Amino acid sequence: MYSYAQATGAAALQGLMTGVWVAAGELTPARRRLTRAGAIVAFSALGSIKDWAFPDDKATTGGAACCTTKPAALAGTALSGTALSGVAVQGSSGAGTERAEGVDDLADDLDSSPEPVSKARLIAGGAGVAIAVATMIAGRRLEKRWLAGLTRNGHTHPHRALGVRMGLISFAATLPSGLIRAHEARQQS
């Protein structure tokens, strides 16, 4: 289950990553690239360590594991592209072929025509994309305005101050969606 602490931690990491990314702007190009690459590696490692130290059953919660784990009927088989079209699956020993359960159902699902998309879903998707683009443009304009103001006022490290500001905004923008997700997960359990 996705908890409030996980939502807050994820938002804090997002804010920290944004702050480091922006603050690296005052470095030389080589150091800036090195700092940004190091931040990506460090935060990826933190995420991997968290996943390793606190495993959860993602197959039951709808996570990515439900799409990557093989069902029990397909254990020990090597699926190929032809297996999905109803052809027998080659066994792991390679000695013969065996029919895997559920392969015909999967082939039927792939062959069926997709359901038509409603106009409301298309409008909602378009609105979501428009909001995301507008948010990115507004954030970049705000970032440029703040940086110009900090530089004009003679701040000794304007990119660092801007990094702190943008990190806090990133944290504040990321936190509500995570808290909503945690609240919904708590309601379902």
Side-chain angles (χ1 to χ4, degrees), residues 44-176:
S44 297
L46 280 175
S48 297
I49 290 170
K50 182 201 73 81
D51 290 344
W52 173 77
F54 304 106
D56 60 332
D57 188 12
K58 292 181 181 174
T60 60
T61 60
C66 68
C67 300
T68 58
T69 56
K70 292 182 181 179
L74 299 178
T77 63
L79 278 180
S80 64
T82 58
L84 298 178
S85 63
V87 179
V89 177
Q90 181 76 21
S92 60
S93 64
T97 58
E98 47 191 51
R99 177 68 83 188
E101 297 174 19
V103 171
D104 290 329
D105 296 334
L106 184 59
D108 291 340
D109 289 343
L110 290 176
D111 292 336
S112 65
S113 62
E115 296 179 21
V117 179
S118 69
K119 289 182 181 179
R121 290 188 99 183
L122 287 175
I123 291 170
V129 169
I131 289 171
V133 169
T135 303
M136 287 187 330
I137 291 171
R140 185 67 181 139
R141 290 181 70 187
L142 181 63
E143 186 177 338
K144 285 181 179 181
R145 185 178 343 155
W146 277 349
L147 184 59
L150 288 167
T151 304
R152 185 175 49 248
N153 292 335
H155 197 282
T156 54
H157 298 286
H159 282 89
R160 290 183 198 174
L162 180 63
V164 170
R165 289 180 183 182
M166 296 306 290
L168 290 173
I169 287 178
S170 178
F171 172 75
T174 307
L175 185 61

